[in-house]
Amino acid sequence: MADRTFAKFTFFKIDPEWRRRDPESRAADKREFLAACDDFAADRSLRAYSTIGTRGDADLVLLSQSPNLDDLHTFHVVLGQSGLAKWADTPHSFLSMTKRSPYSEESARPEICVSERRYLFLYPMVKQRRWYGLPTEERGRIMKSHIEVGRRHPEISINTSYSFGLDDQEFVVAFEGDDPGEFLDLVNELRPTESSQYPERETPIFPCVAMSTRRALDALDGAPSLAAVQ
């Protein structure tokens, strides 16, 4: 397993007209999309999330990961050839990479978002340039306090990946948990901290429901057609 990996969060919004297609056509579209996902996931990491009911600008999120950027390119080319992709827009897309945090003794994580928790809370982040002008020791002191708040909420796992030079944001931050209220309390507790003065942008934020790719696709139209053909 590689020490560092690319992480690609791809968001799909389905054209409402697709749901008016006949059930057989919709089932075929979903099977093509699922086949591409299953092929990629055979030896690489792929996670699926539904944002139906939590966001109005996206219905489905895929997190694909590989140490090879060309793998992600090829995967999305194949996805784009599926019937379902012809009815979908990509309103958001975040590319990032894992690396060791300068504020932690932990090694770089080879993969992110690997727990079986029910929810993912995801957002891109950009910090103000004045943050990078602070002395290294000062940034370490501020982040130590930030990390201590997070440790008071062990039910929430944090996954931070880095986008410097790869995408418009600087970080992609993803929290996993089983209780949305616990995440709300964590964010509320972080607001008065010194570290909260330095982000320039922390939106949009996406509350995502973790599930299998098959279930996430069936949630698009409420039809269990994929399960029926197995």
Side-chain angles (χ1 to χ4, degrees):
M1 183 174 290
D3 292 334
R4 292 167 64 171
T5 191
F6 291 96
K8 176 66 163 59
F9 294 88
T10 309
F11 297 73
F12 298 92
K13 179 65 179 176
I14 305 302
D15 187 330
E17 286 295 324
W18 177 78
R19 297 183 177 91
R20 300 185 180 97
R21 302 188 79 204
D22 62 87
E24 292 77 14
S25 295
R26 284 186 276 118
D29 289 344
K30 290 190 288 184
R31 285 197 298 270
E32 291 178 7
F33 194 95
L34 181 64
C37 292
D38 285 347
D39 182 65
F40 180 86
D43 56 1
R44 285 150 295 199
S45 177
L46 181 72
R47 304 296 295 263
Y49 305 89
S50 178
T51 49
I52 293 176
T54 65
R55 289 285 302 197
D57 54 351
D59 299 316
L60 169 70
V61 183
L62 293 183
L63 167 57
S64 50
Q65 299 185 73
S66 174
N68 188 334
L69 187 58
D70 288 349
D71 284 351
L72 301 183
H73 166 74
T74 301
F75 172 50
H76 287 82
V77 169
V78 175
L79 273 183
Q81 296 170 346
S82 68
L84 184 62
K86 296 177 175 64
W87 294 87
D89 291 327
T90 306
H92 306 280
S93 172
F94 306 137
L95 178 65
S96 58
M97 193 174 194
T98 62
K99 79 178 192 70
R100 181 181 176 277
S101 168
Y103 311 111
S104 171
E105 296 301 320
E106 296 181 4
S107 302
R109 298 179 64 181
E111 292 181 354
I112 60 173
C113 304
V114 294
S115 82
E116 297 301 322
R117 292 179 172 176
R118 295 177 60 190
Y119 303 106
L120 180 77
F121 304 92
L122 165 71
Y123 59 87
M125 182 171 68
V126 175
K127 287 194 173 183
Q128 298 175 19
R129 287 299 178 92
R130 66 189 181 102
W131 167 257
Y132 301 104
L134 295 175
T136 302
E137 297 78 9
E138 180 69 358
R139 281 185 279 143
R141 179 191 65 80
I142 294 171
M143 288 305 299
K144 181 180 179 181
S145 175
H146 177 93
I147 292 169
E148 287 174 352
V149 173
R151 286 174 176 165
R152 293 202 287 269
H153 295 266
E155 301 85 357
I156 302 295
S157 300
I158 183 171
N159 301 269
T160 301
S161 51
Y162 300 80
S163 299
F164 295 97
L166 300 178
D167 208 337
D168 294 346
Q169 69 281 341
E170 295 175 348
F171 310 89
V172 179
V173 188
F175 296 84
E176 296 173 282
D178 292 320
D179 181 3
E182 185 71 26
F183 177 66
L184 184 151
D185 292 342
L186 168 59
V187 175
N188 191 41
E189 193 172 337
L190 286 170
R191 284 296 185 261
T193 62
E194 191 173 0
S195 62
S196 69
Q197 300 176 24
Y198 292 96
E200 181 175 302
R201 177 167 59 89
E202 296 179 286
T203 57
I205 187 165
F206 300 90
C208 309
V209 184
M211 58 185 66
S212 69
T213 308
R214 178 181 287 107
R215 284 188 58 208
L217 289 171
D218 282 346
L220 295 175
D221 59 353
S225 53
L226 287 171
V229 299
Q230 299 302 314

Short mmCIF file of all heavy atoms in Angstrom, two decimals, residues 13 24 40 51 59 83 87 93 102 152 183-184 200-201 212:
data_model
loop_
_atom_site.label_atom_id
_atom_site.label_comp_id
_atom_site.label_asym_id
_atom_site.label_seq_id
_atom_site.Cartn_x
_atom_site.Cartn_y
_atom_site.Cartn_z
N LYS A 13 -25.45 15.34 -9.85
CA LYS A 13 -26.82 15.82 -9.75
C LYS A 13 -27.58 15.28 -10.96
O LYS A 13 -27.20 15.52 -12.11
CB LYS A 13 -26.85 17.36 -9.76
CG LYS A 13 -28.26 17.94 -9.70
CD LYS A 13 -28.96 17.59 -8.38
CE LYS A 13 -30.36 18.21 -8.33
NZ LYS A 13 -31.08 17.81 -7.09
N GLU A 24 -37.25 0.17 -16.90
CA GLU A 24 -36.22 -0.67 -17.51
C GLU A 24 -35.02 0.17 -17.97
O GLU A 24 -33.86 -0.23 -17.81
CB GLU A 24 -36.80 -1.44 -18.69
CG GLU A 24 -37.82 -2.50 -18.32
CD GLU A 24 -39.18 -1.91 -17.97
OE1 GLU A 24 -39.42 -0.72 -18.28
OE2 GLU A 24 -40.00 -2.64 -17.39
N PHE A 40 -13.62 -0.53 -10.76
CA PHE A 40 -12.60 0.27 -10.09
C PHE A 40 -12.36 -0.24 -8.68
O PHE A 40 -11.22 -0.31 -8.21
CB PHE A 40 -13.06 1.74 -10.03
CG PHE A 40 -12.09 2.66 -9.36
CD1 PHE A 40 -11.04 3.25 -10.06
CD2 PHE A 40 -12.20 2.95 -8.00
CE1 PHE A 40 -10.14 4.09 -9.44
CE2 PHE A 40 -11.30 3.80 -7.37
CZ PHE A 40 -10.27 4.36 -8.09
N THR A 51 -26.73 12.17 -0.94
CA THR A 51 -27.03 13.50 -0.38
C THR A 51 -28.48 13.88 -0.67
O THR A 51 -28.84 15.05 -0.57
CB THR A 51 -26.08 14.56 -0.96
OG1 THR A 51 -26.03 14.44 -2.39
CG2 THR A 51 -24.68 14.40 -0.41
N ASP A 59 -26.96 14.73 -5.58
CA ASP A 59 -27.72 13.54 -5.19
C ASP A 59 -26.81 12.39 -4.76
O ASP A 59 -27.23 11.53 -3.99
CB ASP A 59 -28.58 13.06 -6.36
CG ASP A 59 -29.58 14.09 -6.81
OD1 ASP A 59 -30.23 14.72 -5.95
OD2 ASP A 59 -29.73 14.28 -8.04
N GLY A 83 -24.87 5.06 -19.15
CA GLY A 83 -26.15 5.71 -19.45
C GLY A 83 -26.54 6.74 -18.43
O GLY A 83 -27.06 7.82 -18.76
N TRP A 87 -27.26 11.67 -17.99
CA TRP A 87 -28.35 12.40 -17.36
C TRP A 87 -27.87 13.14 -16.10
O TRP A 87 -28.69 13.59 -15.30
CB TRP A 87 -29.48 11.45 -16.99
CG TRP A 87 -30.15 10.84 -18.16
CD1 TRP A 87 -29.79 9.69 -18.82
CD2 TRP A 87 -31.31 11.34 -18.84
NE1 TRP A 87 -30.64 9.45 -19.86
CE2 TRP A 87 -31.60 10.44 -19.90
CE3 TRP A 87 -32.14 12.45 -18.64
CZ2 TRP A 87 -32.66 10.64 -20.76
CZ3 TRP A 87 -33.21 12.63 -19.49
CH2 TRP A 87 -33.46 11.74 -20.54
N SER A 93 -16.55 19.08 -7.48
CA SER A 93 -15.51 18.07 -7.66
C SER A 93 -14.28 18.53 -6.90
O SER A 93 -13.79 19.64 -7.13
CB SER A 93 -15.19 17.91 -9.15
OG SER A 93 -14.07 17.07 -9.34
N PRO A 102 1.64 18.64 9.45
CA PRO A 102 2.77 19.25 10.17
C PRO A 102 2.48 19.46 11.65
O PRO A 102 3.39 19.80 12.41
CB PRO A 102 2.95 20.59 9.45
CG PRO A 102 1.61 20.90 8.88
CD PRO A 102 1.02 19.57 8.50
N ARG A 152 -11.98 15.80 22.32
CA ARG A 152 -13.10 15.70 23.28
C ARG A 152 -14.35 15.11 22.62
O ARG A 152 -15.37 14.91 23.29
CB ARG A 152 -13.41 17.08 23.86
CG ARG A 152 -12.29 17.63 24.73
CD ARG A 152 -12.79 18.69 25.69
NE ARG A 152 -13.10 19.95 25.04
CZ ARG A 152 -12.23 20.95 24.87
NH1 ARG A 152 -10.98 20.81 25.30
NH2 ARG A 152 -12.60 22.07 24.28
N PHE A 183 -21.57 15.97 15.73
CA PHE A 183 -20.76 16.79 14.84
C PHE A 183 -21.14 18.26 14.98
O PHE A 183 -20.27 19.14 14.99
CB PHE A 183 -20.93 16.33 13.40
CG PHE A 183 -20.17 17.18 12.41
CD1 PHE A 183 -18.78 17.19 12.41
CD2 PHE A 183 -20.85 17.97 11.49
CE1 PHE A 183 -18.08 17.98 11.50
CE2 PHE A 183 -20.15 18.75 10.60
CZ PHE A 183 -18.77 18.76 10.60
N LEU A 184 -22.44 18.54 15.08
CA LEU A 184 -22.88 19.92 15.29
C LEU A 184 -22.24 20.50 16.55
O LEU A 184 -21.75 21.64 16.55
CB LEU A 184 -24.40 19.96 15.39
CG LEU A 184 -25.09 21.32 15.52
CD1 LEU A 184 -26.48 21.28 14.91
CD2 LEU A 184 -25.18 21.78 16.97
N GLU A 200 -10.56 31.21 5.42
CA GLU A 200 -11.17 32.17 4.50
C GLU A 200 -12.47 31.62 3.95
O GLU A 200 -13.42 32.35 3.70
CB GLU A 200 -10.20 32.49 3.37
CG GLU A 200 -10.71 33.49 2.36
CD GLU A 200 -9.65 33.83 1.35
OE1 GLU A 200 -8.56 34.32 1.75
OE2 GLU A 200 -9.88 33.62 0.14
N ARG A 201 -12.50 30.30 3.74
CA ARG A 201 -13.70 29.66 3.19
C ARG A 201 -13.80 28.24 3.72
O ARG A 201 -12.81 27.49 3.71
CB ARG A 201 -13.64 29.66 1.66
CG ARG A 201 -14.80 28.95 0.99
CD ARG A 201 -14.85 29.26 -0.49
NE ARG A 201 -13.64 28.88 -1.20
CZ ARG A 201 -13.43 27.68 -1.73
NH1 ARG A 201 -14.35 26.73 -1.60
NH2 ARG A 201 -12.31 27.41 -2.38
N SER A 212 -23.80 1.53 0.38
CA SER A 212 -23.19 0.86 -0.77
C SER A 212 -23.50 1.64 -2.04
O SER A 212 -24.47 2.40 -2.11
CB SER A 212 -23.71 -0.57 -0.89
OG SER A 212 -25.08 -0.56 -1.26
#
